[in-house]
Amino acid sequence: MFRSFCVLPLILAATLPALAAAAETQKQQLLLISFDGAHDNALWEKSRDMAKRTGAHFTYFLSCTFLMNAEARKAYQAPGHKKGRSNVGFAQSDGEIRTRLGHIWNAHLEGHDIGSHACGHFDGKDWTKAEWTAEFRTFRQTLTSAWQRVGLKDQQPADWQDFVTHGIVGFRAPYLSISKALTDAEKADGFVYDASLVTKGPLPPVEQDGLVRFGLPLIPEGPQQRPVIGMDYNLFVRHSVGIENASRSQEFEERTYAAFKAAFDKQYDGERIPVQFGFHFVEMNGGAYWRALDRLLSDVCHRQDVACVTYADAVRRMRDGEAGKTGGTQSAF
């Protein structure tokens, strides 16, 4: 399902367009939390409960194969792959899809952000713009027909089609694997933001020709404070070589919480650049990373000068702050 993102080329500060020399300091510290995959219904419920308790809002990057039943699975074909293939699997039953659709819609109503993680979680670094466009079309078509396919046509929310067409405005590439063809396809498909970059520490997002680009930061972690991408899977690989080791779950939780909190505090006490951390709908190492997340949100989201927001909300704040400004590349915060 995963690959170690550490082996991917990092998109560091030197490769980003020059940021504004002196971006204004935000009074509020923004914290952005996202989940890739968004499939396990138990974790949908758990994450939504966590959000209600802490006051946080999340971005869920959905893989559309988890809304494909047996019939749709046979028809799905990702660019360069045979029909019926997916790196993350498919839904196991219509009942599972029905429950998942309820979570997606209710999360949307609760103020969470539903983004796209494409469909079959394939590495599209060599795909053309046309191939990415085809995958995006499959994503939206799958969501468009999802309720009807599982016998819930009469229960489909009245605003569902508008949500599918206009409400899903962000994308994260599987494996954080990016290319110019992907960026071109995103803009053509109407995406507002991309969250697929990796940056050397927290950096403000930048806007390039109408597409706002966010990056997960490298953060110091562990006894030697070696940098690691601020994402649960990368910590899983760091801590246990990607092999489940629940016996050390508490140790891994403490290390993760310490790294997350230190990265947050550095910005909160300093420039207040938005901080981003990424997660998956898999509780690795006995749930160590989700517990560390819960602790962080409980610690900071209630503060008046902290806002635990979605990527879409962060973009809205940026656009409001940039009203009246012009230029092809702008610092978002």
Side-chain angles (χ1 to χ4, degrees):
M1 178 176 180
F2 307 106
R3 93 170 37 161
S4 174
F5 298 148
C6 297
V7 302
L8 295 175
L10 298 179
I11 310 301
L12 304 178
T15 64
L16 289 172
L19 300 176
E24 293 182 3
T25 301
Q26 287 287 105
K27 290 185 178 180
Q28 279 194 312
Q29 172 66 54
L30 300 189
L31 177 62
L32 286 70
I33 302 297
S34 57
F35 296 94
D36 291 3
H39 55 294
D40 187 318
N41 283 321
L43 294 181
W44 264 111
E45 185 171 351
K46 185 171 183 174
S47 65
R48 289 174 58 207
D49 287 345
M50 187 189 303
K52 291 171 186 175
R53 282 191 291 101
T54 63
H57 288 94
F58 301 139
T59 296
Y60 296 95
F61 290 110
L62 174 68
S63 297
C64 86
T65 55
F66 296 119
L67 293 177
M68 291 183 182
N69 59 13
E71 179 185 358
R73 171 179 180 167
K74 294 176 184 177
Y76 171 60
Q77 184 171 16
H81 294 274
K82 295 179 180 179
K83 284 187 176 181
R85 288 200 57 206
S86 165
N87 275 350
V88 289
F90 296 85
Q92 298 301 301
S93 69
D94 284 4
E96 176 191 314
I97 295 174
R98 293 184 190 108
T99 301
R100 185 168 297 119
L101 285 169
H103 282 302
I104 292 169
W105 184 245
N106 282 299
H108 166 67
L109 295 179
E110 291 160 4
H112 299 292
D113 177 22
I114 309 299
S116 171
H117 200 41
C119 291
H121 206 277
F122 292 106
D123 186 345
K125 68 179 184 302
D126 296 323
W127 289 359
T128 65
K129 176 184 175 181
E131 288 172 328
W132 270 115
T133 297
E135 183 82 346
F136 292 157
R137 185 182 306 115
T138 299
F139 179 92
R140 296 195 190 268
Q141 289 175 343
T142 299
L143 268 68
T144 294
S145 61
W147 294 78
Q148 181 175 350
R149 280 187 178 274
V150 295
L152 295 180
K153 182 178 180 180
D154 294 340
Q155 297 180 43
Q156 177 178 300
D159 294 332
W160 177 260
Q161 296 305 328
D162 182 69
F163 161 70
V164 172
T165 304
H166 304 292
I168 299 175
V169 299
F171 180 75
R172 174 171 285 155
Y175 307 116
L176 304 182
S177 189
I178 61 173
S179 66
K180 184 180 184 301
L182 168 60
T183 301
D184 290 344
E186 287 176 288
K187 289 187 288 189
D189 199 69
F191 285 110
V192 173
Y193 73 84
D194 175 279
S196 309
L197 300 180
V198 176
T199 58
K200 190 176 182 179
L203 285 178
V206 294
E207 182 164 3
Q208 297 173 276
D209 300 323
L211 186 68
V212 179
R213 309 195 72 183
F214 293 86
L216 291 167
L218 288 165
I219 61 171
E221 189 276 336
Q224 297 178 337
Q225 293 291 282
R226 291 186 295 127
V228 64
I229 298 173
M231 199 172 211
D232 57 358
Y233 178 67
N234 300 81
L235 290 160
F236 181 47
V237 172
R238 164 73 60 84
H239 292 161
S240 59
V241 202
I243 300 171
E244 187 69 20
N245 186 353
S247 66
R248 297 177 63 188
S249 185
Q250 184 173 354
E251 172 193 345
F252 298 146
E253 174 191 343
E254 293 299 332
R255 281 182 55 166
T256 300
Y257 174 76
F260 285 172
K261 188 62 162 52
F264 176 88
D265 286 345
K266 183 175 181 180
Q267 295 307 319
Y268 183 75
D269 296 332
E271 296 180 75
R272 297 210 168 180
I273 294 171
V275 176
Q276 305 166 55
F277 297 126
F279 294 83
H280 292 81
F281 260 33
V282 179
E283 291 189 292
M284 307 165 202
N285 278 333
Y289 311 110
W290 276 56
R291 292 197 308 274
L293 170 63
D294 198 333
R295 289 171 60 184
L296 178 67
L297 299 179
S298 298
D299 283 350
V300 307
C301 290
H302 67 280
R303 302 180 189 179
Q304 290 187 347
D305 56 353
V306 174
C308 297
V309 301
T310 68
Y311 280 102
D313 188 42
V315 171
R316 283 191 289 269
R317 290 166 179 252
M318 176 272 288
R319 293 275 168 83
D320 289 344
E322 293 289 344
K325 295 183 180 181
T326 59
T329 301
Q330 298 174 345
S331 173
F333 295 93

